[in-house]
Amino acid sequence: MDHAQGAQAKGMAYYFKHHLREYGLLIALIAIMLFFQVVTDGTLLKSVNITNLFLQNSYIIIMALGMLVVIVSGNIDLSVGSVMGFIGAFAAVMIVELGQPVWITIIASLGMGVVIGAAQGYFVAYWKIPSFIVTLAGMLVFRGASLWLLEGQSVGPFPREFQSLSTGFVGDILPKAATSGLAELAGSRNFNALAMGLGIIAVAVIVYMGLRDRARNAQYGIEGEPKSFFIVRNVVIALALLFVSFKLATFRGLPNVLISMVVLTVVYAFLTANTTIGRRIYALGGNEKAAKLSGIKTERLTFLAFVNMGLLAALAGLIFAARLNTATPKAGFAVELDVIAAVFIGGASMSGGSGKVIGAVVGAFIMGVMNNGMSIVGIGIDYQQMIKGLVLLAAVFFDVYNRSKQG
Amino acid sequence: MTPLLEMRAITKTFPGVKALDQVNLQVAEGEIHAICGENGAGKSTLMKVLSGVYPAGSYDGEIHYDGALAQFRDISDSEARGIIIIHQELALVPLLSIAENLFLGNERAAKGVIDWRETFQRTEALLKKVGLKEAPATRIEQLGVGKQQLVEIAKALSKEVKLLILDEPTAALSEADSQALLDLMLELKTQGVTQIIISHKLNEVRRVADTVTVIRDGTSVSTMTAASGDITEDRIVRDMVGRDMSDRYPARARNPGETLLDVKNWNVWHPEHAERQVIRDVNFHVRKGEVVGIAGLMGAGRTELAMSIFGRSYGRNISGSVSLKGQPIDVSEIDRAIDAGLAYVTEDRKSLGLVLDEDIQTNITLANLPGVAKAGVINEREETQVAEKYRGAMNIRTPSVFQKVVNLSGGNQQKVVLSKWLFAQPEVLILDEPTRGIDVGAKFEIYGIINDLAAQGKGVVMISSEMPELLGMCDRIYVMNEGALVGELTAEDASQERIMSLIVTD
């Protein structure tokens, strides 16, 4: 009995050690949030600020999804900030100056993103020009192109329906009268039942899928996460989700952009982890020659990774412009660095072949919470930059140190 | 005569493993001493102890060198005393010249300014010693592996070497280059350089070694000397694996069936030098259940032939026809070649065959992901089952299929590559140097796998630079030279002499 318990404890320690990166990232995010919650006297986790956090970071997270794919494939895209700005300018010119309808503008902008991604991907994939160089060129070209399009001016404002891309909220399913009791209970002006309901459903789905996975693993005799870890992890995630949905419910409900963000994150997490195309991208980044000799169309995959990045950068550009309600020549300046930093904080490897979507998203939130928290506390932009730089270095150092110890 | 080197009761433990257990090694002054053992037996660990990679104090036992107790703190310490190791992976800078490489870290310089005249003069003298006629300003990347190996030796000689250690020096060399290297070793011996050679190639060991020490499972099991005439390949092999291996090639029933793969009028040009024809009018076929060898020297075009057939992964202006069971097949892309029933196991498993940082499971399913997926979604549990099946069938020694392949031994890595291609369900497998760099025991297992494949009715093409292996395994052997097939021998007619004479008289 004692012996069996000892063996189990050893197994847990072993499991923790080998998944230190994943748990560490989550723990780091929670620690950073608690820290700022304390030093901002509770402002960080106020309803309005949580809503703001999502609005502020949505475009970074959306681009981090594409960047993760690009980095896993063994490449990099330095142009995303410029492309994002350019698409914002493109949309502004179409709507404000040419008077095109919003939906045509959105389709044209996304199409333009695809074309830009395809153009850069073409040189990287089929001409083997290092992506660093191609996208450095792209960064300069599209920075210039937005200046040219906007003629150095800010162009705006946008019609309301375009703005709702970013700053809109999903209306509640229940009439206000039905939720007034809940609002009273929560001690707020109103209560959005949809936000709370979806939060509860999300928790139920996550727990159900986790349990189903465990059952199947057991059936196939695969040893997975120790039970206690599974419980603790799920309880933490469930509490966090319920907390966030409660906070959103007591403010204005679900922001539109949160919906697109969550849907995209789920889609990309599934694509990278569970599909053949995802697996092939990891293989391509891990060893391009071996992947190619295994019958994988490596060039086409690289090309598609950049097309996908262009599409997501365009979407981010639309959301960013909608939030500012104007397109400026400076939009998206140096954003590529935040996006790339988020992916590396999330545990991706510079040489390609490893990294997870969830890691990139958590990495983006770590950066986002720090930006937000430091701004609330009133730390100057000078210190903010230095601290962010050191956090990136520390995260990657932690990775490298861990790997050398596992050797 | 007192020995130049004596290692006494060396014991080295890593957390959880005893890598070396009371190993004794005595190397006499001026001899060539061979160390043989399977991969993982502890040869490299022993050499790392000797050269100070594992510093004094991190191991038990004593090293006596040149008449005194030696306690090396690091490599530069042992180098200063004339012990120099040439590793299997060459440590030359490809874009620098021979002269720059020879004196790298040891520049002929005054106050940081390099004296190029002296550098080039000394380089010329050293190159002459190792029999290289290249100019000192030649860049390393312009040399073949064989010549690079000689440059490494010249580099060692530039440091007044007393004890030269060569770790598998001929593993990547052609027959001719290997012979040249072995001749050089014998030449250096007459000049009084004591040498230790680690090698899997027992015929080479027998040719140059005065003494052989066999290491097995971290202990020294036997020492034999040429003087007393007891160095025989059979005895070395027996001591290495710990059992009698009367037959190094497992027996197989030989009854080839219908023709599977038929390649006709195959011509290939060089991918960069468009005017150079690499493969000329090659015709060959493989039958069901047949193992066909392709013999030839390095650079004969064997790998190029295989890769050009396998989805045109080499060369340009490829012409010719490929058919399987009488039906023409499309091999213009790698995935089409795989779908048509071909598999190619590359000669360079680390850089071309495996995704080293991924686990065994991921590597095994890579060439046939649809085999474990539905509508593009992978069923990971089914994938694990597939991997487990091959782990059992191939006897891949690993605690789990979630182990990264980078941590496996060469033999086990090769079994992973073979598993990957078997899971792609091919009709014909082209195996390019399937046993390169793996130890005797694992080789025997690979031969067993090849025999099983033939018994299941697959066709196997085996490219190998080790002629005994081809002679032991194949039903027929094609001989290739300068891009063309210059002969075809049946198993009964084939011999090393006949193969060589076909190459030479071409």
Side-chain angles (χ1 to χ4, degrees):
Chain A
M1 182 70 200
D2 269 19
H3 181 75
Q5 264 178 356
Q8 203 187 3
K10 193 182 158 201
M12 274 168 56
Y14 177 84
Y15 190 86
F16 187 69
K17 233 171 97 183
H18 282 255
H19 293 78
L20 197 58
R21 193 61 174 78
E22 286 129 70
Y23 291 114
L25 202 60
L26 206 58
I27 293 169
L29 177 62
I30 293 170
I32 289 172
M33 289 182 81
L34 289 179
F35 173 76
F36 281 111
Q37 174 70 356
V38 172
V39 298
T40 60
D41 293 326
T43 311
L44 186 83
L45 295 182
K46 278 198 174 136
S47 295
V48 54
N49 197 53
I50 287 184
T51 306
N52 261 338
L53 261 174
F54 287 125
L55 294 183
Q56 277 171 6
N57 293 298
S58 53
Y59 64 97
I60 302 263
I61 288 170
I62 286 170
M63 288 201 287
L65 299 174
M67 189 64 78
L68 177 94
V69 174
V70 167
I71 286 176
V72 164
S73 78
N75 293 293
I76 192 108
D77 191 339
L78 299 173
S79 72
V80 293
S82 295
V83 172
M84 185 188 116
F86 172 73
I87 295 292
F90 178 77
V93 168
M94 271 192 83
I95 293 180
V96 178
E97 291 183 2
L98 302 177
Q100 296 297 317
V102 168
W103 66 275
I104 287 189
T105 304
I106 291 177
I107 290 172
S109 300
L110 295 179
M112 179 60 93
V114 167
V115 170
I116 290 171
Q120 300 196 92
Y122 170 74
F123 289 109
V124 177
Y126 297 103
W127 288 97
K128 310 272 178 242
I129 302 177
S131 53
F132 190 95
I133 294 169
V134 172
T135 58
L136 182 63
M139 176 176 161
L140 295 169
V141 166
F142 296 107
R143 173 69 42 223
S146 10
L147 260 171
W148 169 75
L149 258 185
L150 297 172
E151 293 165 340
Q153 311 286 313
S154 291
V155 176
F158 289 106
R160 193 151 192 85
E161 48 176 330
F162 184 80
Q163 287 179 46
S164 70
L165 260 184
S166 173
T167 51
F169 289 83
V170 185
D172 203 356
I173 37 167
L174 297 179
K176 201 153 182 160
T179 58
S180 60
L182 284 169
E184 215 166 292
L185 251 163
S188 64
R189 235 165 4 100
N190 50 4
F191 192 86
N192 187 305
L194 180 70
M196 195 68 228
L198 282 181
I200 292 169
I201 291 172
V203 167
V205 168
I206 286 173
V207 172
Y208 169 74
M209 288 196 6
L211 287 172
R212 198 186 59 175
D213 246 29
R214 281 184 75 79
R216 283 203 194 147
N217 276 342
Q219 204 182 332
Y220 280 72
I222 299 165
E223 227 177 292
E225 196 177 24
K227 199 168 184 176
S228 46
F229 276 47
F230 174 77
I231 294 171
V232 170
R233 187 171 54 87
N234 275 282
V235 166
V236 168
I237 290 173
L239 285 179
L241 269 177
L242 292 176
F243 178 77
V244 167
S245 18
F246 177 76
K247 287 289 176 178
L248 291 175
T250 55
F251 187 55
R252 294 177 60 189
L254 291 175
N256 288 340
V257 70
L258 177 65
I259 306 271
S260 20
M261 219 168 76
V262 170
V263 168
L264 284 173
T265 302
V266 171
V267 166
Y268 278 88
F270 181 78
L271 248 142
T272 51
N274 296 319
T275 65
T276 51
I277 192 167
R279 176 67 62 79
R280 286 171 178 161
I281 289 172
Y282 282 88
L284 155 68
N287 186 344
E288 181 174 355
K289 288 176 186 162
K292 194 170 178 149
L293 281 175
S294 299
I296 293 170
K297 307 243 183 226
T298 51
E299 283 104 357
R300 187 189 294 173
L301 275 180
T302 306
F303 177 73
L304 288 177
F306 278 93
V307 170
N308 175 65
M309 184 72 250
L311 176 67
L312 290 176
L315 179 62
L318 293 175
I319 288 172
F320 188 78
R323 197 169 95 81
L324 286 189
N325 199 16
T326 172
T328 74
K330 290 220 87 174
F333 183 74
V335 164
E336 60 278 348
L337 302 180
D338 278 355
V339 174
I340 292 167
V343 174
F344 285 134
I345 288 177
S349 149
M350 183 77 211
S351 52
S354 76
K356 284 186 177 163
V357 162
I358 294 300
V361 171
V362 173
F365 269 116
I366 287 181
M367 296 285 278
V369 169
M370 289 197 332
N371 279 335
N372 181 277
M374 290 191 291
S375 299
I376 297 172
V377 181
I379 295 175
I381 191 82
D382 43 1
Y383 286 107
Q384 285 197 24
Q385 301 267 14
M386 289 190 254
I387 292 171
K388 272 158 60 184
L390 291 176
V391 166
L392 171 63
L393 184 64
V396 176
F397 173 75
F398 184 72
D399 257 7
V400 173
Y401 177 75
N402 250 331
R403 220 166 288 156
S404 75
K405 263 180 79 180
Q406 274 176 23
Chain B
M1 191 170 87
T2 54
L4 174 71
L5 170 75
E6 194 179 358
M7 300 179 82
R8 286 185 203 151
I10 303 291
T11 299
K12 168 82 189 162
T13 45
F14 295 105
V17 220
K18 211 170 208 178
L20 294 175
D21 188 9
Q22 304 273 335
V23 174
N24 294 304
L25 180 69
Q26 255 193 37
V27 181
E29 182 123 36
E31 73 164 348
I32 297 182
H33 193 115
I35 298 179
C36 297
E38 293 196 87
N39 284 345
K43 293 164 298 184
S44 323
T45 313
L46 187 66
M47 291 304 108
K48 282 179 180 168
V49 166
L50 172 58
S51 60
V53 173
Y54 301 130
S58 70
Y59 56 86
D60 294 324
E62 287 179 353
I63 301 175
H64 292 267
Y65 173 71
D66 206 7
L69 182 68
Q71 292 184 314
F72 300 126
R73 289 182 308 266
D74 52 31
I75 293 192
S76 56
D77 213 8
S78 64
E79 275 195 0
R81 300 283 307 277
I83 299 178
I84 290 174
I85 293 199
I86 297 177
H87 291 282
Q88 210 176 332
E89 279 93 24
L90 299 177
L92 298 170
V93 185
L95 291 175
L96 293 184
S97 70
I98 296 178
E100 284 166 319
N101 267 285
L102 282 190
F103 295 101
L104 196 61
N106 182 26
E107 289 82 1
R108 304 291 92 202
K111 293 183 181 138
V113 179
I114 293 178
D115 181 346
W116 287 110
R117 246 171 58 106
E118 196 200 333
T119 303
F120 276 79
Q121 274 172 355
R122 291 202 48 182
T123 301
E124 261 169 33
L126 287 165
L127 290 184
K128 209 167 163 192
K129 256 188 178 170
V130 298
L132 270 181
K133 293 185 186 73
E134 263 66 19
T138 313
R139 280 207 307 253
I140 294 295
E141 61 172 358
Q142 294 169 312
L143 303 178
V145 202
K147 286 180 175 170
Q148 291 188 16
Q149 189 71 260
L150 297 180
V151 172
E152 280 275 16
I153 293 176
K155 187 174 171 183
L157 295 179
S158 77
K159 293 176 189 161
E160 318 213 330
V161 56
K162 235 184 217 156
L163 175 60
L164 181 64
I165 303 165
L166 298 124
D167 190 355
E168 304 243 11
T170 61
L173 300 196
S174 69
E175 192 70 23
D177 283 345
S178 299
Q179 292 308 324
L181 184 97
L182 297 177
D183 287 341
L184 176 62
M185 287 184 71
L186 293 170
E187 168 68 26
L188 290 176
K189 184 176 134 181
T190 64
Q191 295 169 17
V193 179
T194 312
Q195 293 159 81
I196 294 177
I197 176 175
I198 295 175
S199 180
H200 280 135
K201 296 190 181 168
L202 302 185
N203 54 343
E204 295 177 355
V205 166
R206 220 187 33 187
R207 193 174 144 208
V208 297
D210 300 298
T211 313
V212 177
T213 296
V214 179
I215 295 182
R216 182 174 78 229
D217 299 332
T219 59
S220 37
V221 289
S222 65
T223 300
M224 22 194 138
T225 58
S228 60
D230 59 359
I231 299 182
T232 66
E233 288 186 31
D234 283 344
R235 203 183 142 197
I236 299 175
V237 169
R238 196 179 62 219
D239 288 345
M240 276 167 69
V241 297
R243 63 180 190 280
D244 263 314
M245 291 208 9
S246 49
D247 194 353
R248 269 196 264 165
Y249 305 100
R252 161 169 54 91
R254 299 187 175 187
N255 42 0
E258 51 162 339
T259 301
L260 274 179
L261 182 73
D262 199 357
V263 176
K264 284 214 156 65
N265 305 320
W266 201 251
N267 284 289
V268 179
W269 271 262
H270 194 276
E272 277 116 44
H273 309 287
E275 72 293 345
R276 235 169 78 197
Q277 190 168 2
V278 185
I279 303 294
R280 291 163 204 280
D281 294 319
V282 165
N283 291 282
F284 74 96
H285 67 277
V286 190
R287 285 194 282 265
K288 223 174 149 119
E290 193 182 31
V291 180
V292 175
I294 301 182
L297 303 176
M298 273 244 182
R302 295 167 300 168
T303 297
E304 291 79 359
L305 172 64
M307 289 184 74
S308 62
I309 294 171
F310 188 65
R312 301 198 177 163
S313 44
Y314 173 88
R316 62 153 80 179
N317 290 339
I318 298 169
S319 65
S321 70
V322 183
S323 56
L324 195 76
K325 294 181 183 164
Q327 300 295 320
I329 55 171
D330 179 5
V331 293
S332 60
E333 301 270 344
I334 293 171
D335 53 346
R336 289 183 194 165
I338 295 172
D339 289 344
L342 295 189
Y344 170 66
V345 174
T346 140
E347 61 177 330
D348 185 348
R349 64 179 162 269
K350 280 189 180 165
S351 67
L352 300 179
L354 294 164
V355 185
L356 285 174
D357 266 337
E358 292 280 7
D359 56 22
I360 295 170
Q361 166 177 324
T362 309
N363 274 285
I364 287 180
T365 55
L366 193 59
N368 184 17
L369 278 174
V372 289
K374 234 188 234 150
V377 177
I378 296 171
N379 181 341
E380 271 190 56
R381 294 165 192 90
E382 200 183 320
E383 190 182 14
T384 306
Q385 282 187 325
V386 166
E388 284 291 350
K389 190 185 97 189
Y390 282 105
R391 174 161 83 111
M394 296 281 195
N395 195 18
I396 302 172
R397 285 187 205 87
T398 164
S400 103
V401 292
F402 303 114
Q403 188 82 28
K404 283 186 182 178
V405 291
V406 68
N407 297 326
L408 300 179
S409 70
N412 283 314
Q413 285 181 344
Q414 188 69 316
K415 290 180 199 167
V416 173
V417 178
L418 283 169
S419 303
K420 170 171 92 172
W421 287 112
L422 290 186
F423 183 55
Q425 321 288 348
E427 302 270 355
V428 176
L429 291 101
I430 306 173
L431 311 179
D432 199 347
E433 306 282 359
T435 64
R436 169 176 290 173
I438 65 183
D439 58 57
V440 179
K443 267 186 186 175
F444 189 80
E445 286 183 277
I446 301 279
Y447 296 144
I449 293 167
I450 293 173
N451 282 347
D452 288 346
L453 292 175
Q456 290 161 25
K458 312 264 189 216
V460 178
V461 179
M462 187 168 170
I463 297 172
S464 176
S465 297
E466 287 183 41
M467 278 194 247
E469 172 175 283
L470 289 177
L471 295 170
M473 288 298 297
C474 297
D475 300 307
R476 269 186 308 133
I477 298 174
Y478 290 101
V479 181
M480 194 163 185
N481 193 31
E482 294 182 352
L485 294 183
V486 294
E488 180 184 348
L489 300 164
T490 60
E492 295 78 46
D493 297 342
S495 67
Q496 297 209 28
E497 292 73 24
R498 291 205 56 179
I499 292 174
M500 275 319 288
S501 74
L502 277 170
I503 293 173
V504 179
T505 55
D506 176 41

